[in-house]
């Protein structure tokens, strides 16, 4: 994480909105919060994409950025070399930013890797906990966001 680049981006970006874009929940095996395999574990995923919406005025350097953050978790059982997926929850959130002035691509990329996920993380945590409870799935483990490797 390059704090100098992130600081450059933060000075020019303003968070406008965060909203749920899509979500899904799937059960592949009978599993509930009351009974699940002792050797069950959880896998997580995060992916980020951004759409840059330019203004029509060539002299205006402002633009909208729609950062799409996809989260997922799945409950699995791993026996020997075989992985069985029991259930999964996925959600995609859009974080919408207004960019006031031109910022380097490097600064935007650093901002996307850390700040965007940091901004959306509490929405994901609440959504995953609520869906798990409503679906009678085990309570997921979603710790505080500390940064991680992101796939684009």
């Amino acid at each position: 994480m390059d704090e100098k680049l992130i600081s450059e981006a933060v000075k020019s970006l303003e968070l406008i909105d965060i909203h749920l874009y899509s979500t899904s929940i799937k059960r592949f095996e009978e599993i509930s919060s009351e009974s699940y395999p002792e050797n069950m574990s959880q896998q997580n995923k995060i992916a980020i994409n951004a759409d840059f919406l330019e203004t029509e005025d060539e002299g205006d350097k402002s633009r909208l950025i729609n950062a799409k953050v996809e989260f997922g978790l799945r409950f699995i059982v791993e026996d020997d070399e075989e992985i069985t997926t029991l259930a999964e929850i996925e959600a995609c959130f859009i974080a919408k930013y207004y960019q006031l002035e031109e910022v380097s691509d490097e600064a935007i990329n650093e901002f996307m890797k850390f700040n965007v996920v940091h901004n959306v993380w509490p929405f994901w945590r609440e959504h995953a906990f609520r869906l798990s409870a409503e679906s009678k799935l085990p309570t997921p483990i979603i710790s505080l966001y500390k940064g991680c490797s992101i796939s684009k």
Side-chain angles (χ1 to χ4, degrees):
M1 173 174 65
D2 187 325
E3 291 181 18
K4 184 179 177 192
L5 287 172
I6 290 173
S7 179
E8 177 188 331
V10 166
K11 289 176 186 173
S12 178
L13 296 172
E14 185 175 320
L15 179 61
I16 298 171
D17 184 32
I18 297 174
H19 64 272
L20 181 64
Y21 185 75
S22 65
T23 190
S24 69
I25 185 165
K26 296 175 188 164
R27 258 192 181 83
F28 302 100
E29 302 280 337
E30 188 51 43
I31 177 178
S32 74
S33 55
E34 288 84 34
S35 64
Y36 51 86
E38 285 185 31
N39 59 343
M40 185 186 78
S41 62
Q42 178 182 316
Q43 292 181 329
N44 302 298
K45 79 169 185 179
I46 302 173
I48 301 171
N49 289 308
D51 293 324
F52 299 92
L53 309 172
E54 307 292 336
T55 59
E56 293 187 22
D57 181 1
E58 288 185 28
D60 187 358
K61 298 295 182 191
S62 67
R63 62 183 175 176
L64 287 177
I65 301 173
N66 285 339
K68 188 181 287 187
V69 186
E70 297 177 58
F71 297 100
L73 65 86
R74 62 185 191 163
F75 298 107
I76 64 165
V77 173
E78 196 168 356
D79 291 319
D80 297 323
E81 301 272 328
E82 188 176 320
I83 296 175
T84 303
T85 302
L86 305 172
E88 67 183 19
I89 297 173
E90 295 182 320
C92 179
F93 292 87
I94 299 287
K96 192 173 283 198
Y97 296 89
Y98 181 69
Q99 183 180 325
L100 305 167
E101 56 193 46
E102 195 168 344
V103 179
S104 71
D105 289 342
E106 294 83 15
I108 293 291
N109 288 336
E110 281 298 302
F111 182 86
M112 291 292 152
K113 284 191 269 185
F114 184 77
N115 286 62
V116 171
V117 177
H118 183 76
N119 290 332
V120 177
W121 194 258
F123 292 80
W124 160 240
R125 179 189 289 131
E126 186 280 331
H127 183 72
F129 284 161
R130 186 176 38 75
L131 276 183
S132 293
E134 289 173 356
S135 304
K136 303 286 189 218
L137 288 172
T139 302
I141 297 170
I142 302 176
S143 62
L144 294 174
Y145 181 70
K146 298 175 181 116
C148 57
S149 60
I150 305 294
S151 65
K152 283 189 171 183

